[in-house]
Every structure is written in C-alpha cells, then in structure tokens.
Amino acid sequence: MKPRILVTGGTGYIGSHTVVELQKAGYPVVIIDNLSNSNAEVLDGIERITGIRPDFVEADCTDMTAVRALFDKYTGIKGIINFAASKAVGESMQKPVLYYRNNLNTLMNLLDVMAERDVKGIVFSSSCTVYGEPDVNPVTEQSPIKKATSPYGNTKQISEEIITDVINAGAPFKSVILRYFNPVGAHPSAEIGELPNGVPQNLIPFLTQTAIGIRKELSVFGNDYNTPDGSCIRDYIDVVDLAKAHVIAVERMLDDKSPEKIEIFNLGTGNGLSVLELINTFETATGVKVPHKIVGRRAGDIEKVWANPKHANEVLGWKAETPIADTMRSAWAWQCKLRERGIM
Ligand code: NAD
Ligand code: WQD
C-alpha cells in the first residue's frame, strides 16, 4: 500500500488532474479545498475517471485547527502537494492582502504541520511568473528572478524563499518546487477541466468560450511585439502532462531519490507559441472558427517566455508529450461538455 498524499486545492484545475494521476499510480489521496474557486462536483468527475472517490475535507488551509483535525482523521500522510492558492493576477493588484494572507498562510501552516506529523515532502506550485520578462529564452532554473510585477507573483517568489529558509533551518522534510509555464487543456475524458469564474482572464478559456458563442470575439492583446507575428509568445503545457510530473516529484521525495533537500524544476514543453499561432492551431485541430480581433497590449504582459525543460527531462525523467493540437481538442471537448451539462 502506498502512503497517503494530501492534495491542497485538489478540486481545482491542476489539482484535480493530479489527483487522477496519483490515484492511477496507486496513491490514496485526501483533498483539502475550501471551494473558493472550484466545486465539489469535481469529485464526481475524478471518480468517473478512476473509479475511486478521493477523500475530501472542505476546509481552509489557513485554518490550522482544521488542518490539524485533518491529520488526526487521515493518518499516515507522507506527502503534500500544495495547489491551494488564489491565482488571479489582476485581482491580486486590487486585493493584495487577500493574496499574501491566503497564499503565504496556507504554505506556512503546511510547513508547520509537516514537522509536527512527520511528513516527508512537499511539492509546491510555483510559476514561470518568477522569471518576469526574461533577458534570454528559453529560461532555465538558473535564469534571474525578476522583481515581481503583481502581489500574486510576489507570493510565488516569497513562497519559494520561505520553503528554502525553512529547509535550510533544518526542517525534517524535503521540497520540490515546480515552476509551471502556461497550463492548458483538460482531461481527454472531458470529465474534469478548468472552470473559470466569471469572464476568463486567461487565453484558452476565453478562446473556447468565444468558439462556443458565449463571448462575441477574442481580443488578441497586441501584434506589435518583437516576435515573428507580433503577438506574445508562451509555453503552453498540457495539464495532464503537468499532473504526471507531480507524481514523479512526490515519489522522488518519498523514496529519498533526491540528493538535495530542495529541488526546482521548470515544467514546460520547451516550445514557444504565439497567440496567433495558438488560435490557428485550435481552429485547425477542431475545425471551429474563433472570431478574433487585434487590440492594444494588455498592461503588464510579458513579451515572450518559454522553458528550457532539460532539467526536468533529465532528472525527473519527465517530458511533455501531448501534441498541442490534442490539447486544443481536449480544451474544446471540455467546453462542449460544460455546455451539455448546462453549466456554460
Ligand atoms: P485553481 O484556482 O483551479 O485551484 C486552486 C484551488 O485551491 C481551488 O480549488 C480553490 O478553491 C482552492 N483554494 C484556494 N485557497 C484555498 C485555501 N486557503 N484553502 C483551501 N483551498 C483553497 O488554480 P489552478 O490553476 O489549479 O492552480 C493551482 C496552483 O498552481 C496555484 O497555486 C497556482 O498559483 C499555481 N499555478 C497556476 C498556473 C495556471 O496558469 N493555472 C500557473 C502557474 C502556477
Ligand atoms: C497568455 C497570452 C496574453 C487573454 C498568466 C499569469 C501567470 C501564470 C499563467 C500563474 C498572453 C494573451 C490572453 C486574451 C490574449 N499563472 N491573451 N487575449 O499572461 O501568460 O500568464 O497565467 O502563475 O502568472 O500572469 O497567461 O492566459 O492570461 O495569456 O491575447 O483574452 O494570451 O496577452 O500573451 P499569462 P494568459
């Protein structure tokens, strides 16, 4: 029997896909989520895919009493994957305290409880946002960390520092910090996917909502960047590929395979795609047109960033495998499923 893994934010977008992969690998999972940006029906989707309903605790990770109660009830937790965080960049500019409190208190509670309850390791969801506008692409884990341009981005930088300080101070556990590039797509079964709240700020949910007619047209934010077609470039990584890396990371810590107490990995494909290329890929892959127009730049956008994933490829033995066309089809199938269910 494999040890139990606690997944915070496990009913969210990346968390739910990771729970599926953990269960497929034989790990019993307990989820803690306060449902601030997800809903409990996600558990049904996970169960339909894997045949196993994960244990679920509806609670807030900033509530240490609730976190300790979870550990009392679910014994033998040896690993934590911490997805729980507030993640909307724009909202973080309006409500910085909410972001600092939620993201940092969540992490600090988990680090405290790990020491109390003999948890061997924590996987932390960081972001390519820590690199800001890189001087050189692709970015490696050694690329400079730029001053954060939002409180959200700052919480990721501070979180990485907190983990480093706590471990360097002799904490009895390990950590793997994963810097995601742009996670997109959905589970190929269309049972789980991204559920954006309100008008989507991110490209793919806005694109699929436009394709299905919820939005009139997609605004492409700028075509005057220093890129081949003038639109911004990102590294779009399939969410299932991303989820699989978490299973490897957890295993690495539990099996003491990592020589270092803290490891950092970029999780991206290594390919940069422009906004216009992505729209084109979606249209070709699905046969569905996306009405779009070029508008001005969005304040704060990075011109281009993509990953050098060599470290993760070589050390974790992990590689992004899903062709982007398949990812676009899974994103579309998920959007169609939401329509079928009358959700959107
Ligand atoms: P998400 O909002 O879908 O999932 C986060 C989940 O955490 C939600 O279900 C939410 O209800 C829950 N949550 C938030 N605060 C909580 C708290 N205090 N206690 C308990 N539950 C709480 O987001 P996601 O896209 O799945 O992102 C997961 C993680 O990955 C986040 O830490 C995010 O910052 C990070 N990340 C996301 C992206 C991205 O583009 N999606 C990119 C880089 C990093
Ligand atoms: C992608 C590209 C937009 C919407 C954000 C966070 C980052 C990370 C990932 C968590 C950009 C363009 C978008 C639209 C568009 N999250 N776009 N029209 O900005 O790379 O990163 O999510 O850590 O921290 O900042 O992702 O999906 O918002 O945008 O043209 O309606 O699509 O300009 O070039 P971004 P995104």
Side-chain angles (χ1 to χ4, degrees):
M1 182 80 168
K2 293 196 175 174
R4 185 176 263 147
I5 308 297
L6 172 63
V7 180
T8 79
T11 47
Y13 174 43
I14 307 169
S16 56
H17 290 80
T18 301
V19 170
V20 165
E21 297 306 319
L22 283 168
Q23 291 184 330
K24 279 169 68 180
Y27 287 96
V29 173
V30 54
I31 293 174
I32 178 170
D33 202 299
N34 63 4
L35 303 181
S36 57
N37 199 35
S38 57
N39 66 65
E41 283 165 30
V42 172
L43 302 169
D44 303 331
I46 294 172
E47 189 177 359
R48 281 195 291 270
I49 296 170
T50 64
I52 305 164
R53 195 170 186 84
D55 288 317
F56 174 64
V57 175
E58 183 180 342
D60 199 304
C61 298
T62 63
D63 174 355
M64 192 55 163
T65 308
V67 172
R68 288 201 178 103
L70 183 153
F71 274 82
D72 290 340
K73 182 167 178 195
Y74 298 96
T75 52
I77 293 170
K78 288 291 164 210
I80 298 180
I81 307 183
N82 180 29
F83 294 105
S86 304
K87 66 158 184 178
V89 176
E91 186 189 47
S92 81
M93 312 285 261
Q94 312 301 321
K95 302 175 184 169
V97 173
L98 186 153
Y99 274 67
Y100 287 114
R101 182 177 292 128
N102 195 40
N103 297 3
L104 301 182
N105 285 354
T106 288
L107 174 65
M108 291 188 291
N109 277 353
L110 295 173
L111 294 172
D112 272 347
V113 86
M114 286 177 76
E116 292 170 15
R117 307 294 175 117
D118 193 27
V119 181
K120 292 184 85 171
I122 181 165
V123 178
F124 180 75
S125 304
S126 190
S127 166
C128 67
T129 191
V130 301
Y131 299 116
E133 182 77 65
D135 303 320
V136 179
N137 273 298
V139 292
T140 71
E141 291 78 1
Q142 281 70 47
S143 296
I145 302 296
K146 296 285 178 70
K147 187 172 162 35
T149 53
S150 71
Y152 167 75
N154 208 18
T155 68
K156 293 300 175 192
Q157 295 192 2
I158 297 170
S159 294
E160 290 196 4
E161 288 174 358
I162 291 174
I163 293 170
T164 308
D165 288 347
V166 168
I167 288 187
N168 286 341
F173 50 78
K174 291 185 169 181
S175 181
V176 175
I177 293 171
L178 300 176
R179 293 179 179 155
Y180 314 152
F181 281 67
N182 286 56
V184 289
H187 194 271
S189 64
E191 293 291 357
I192 52 174
E194 189 171 8
L195 256 188
N197 226 338
V199 181
Q201 304 302 304
N202 294 119
L203 179 59
I204 288 301
F206 201 105
L207 184 156
T208 57
Q209 288 192 11
T210 306
I212 210 161
I214 298 170
R215 315 274 160 213
K216 198 167 129 278
E217 61 189 351
L218 168 70
S219 296
V220 174
F221 298 138
N223 68 345
D224 57 352
Y225 286 98
N226 182 24
T227 60
D229 65 22
S231 64
C232 293
I233 294 178
R234 297 286 184 277
D235 186 335
Y236 296 94
I237 163 95
D238 187 273
V239 69
V240 175
D241 286 342
L242 188 69
K244 288 178 178 165
H246 293 74
V247 180
I248 299 172
V250 159
E251 233 144 37
R252 197 170 161 76
M253 293 186 302
L254 298 190
D255 297 349
D256 268 325
K257 280 190 248 165
S258 47
E260 310 291 336
K261 292 191 83 180
I262 311 177
E263 295 183 302
I264 302 183
F265 297 97
N266 282 343
L267 295 183
T269 65
N271 299 319
L273 267 188
S274 76
V275 177
L276 292 169
E277 283 171 329
L278 196 66
I279 295 172
N280 195 26
T281 306
F282 177 90
E283 291 185 335
T284 309
T286 62
V288 180
K289 286 281 163 209
V290 183
H292 61 277
K293 64 165 186 229
I294 310 287
V295 301
R297 294 180 176 198
R298 179 171 72 175
D301 261 341
I302 303 297
E303 180 173 274
K304 45 182 180 272
V305 57
W306 66 94
N308 178 337
K310 196 162 164 253
H311 189 48
N313 296 165
E314 289 178 355
V315 177
L316 296 180
W318 168 91
K319 200 172 187 316
E321 284 171 344
T322 311
I324 187 71
D326 288 1
T327 305
M328 292 300 99
R329 279 189 282 270
S330 70
W332 178 236
W334 169 244
Q335 183 68 63
C336 294
K337 183 58 85 72
L338 290 175
R339 168 62 52 88
E340 204 180 293
R341 292 199 195 137
I343 298 171
M344 272 179 203

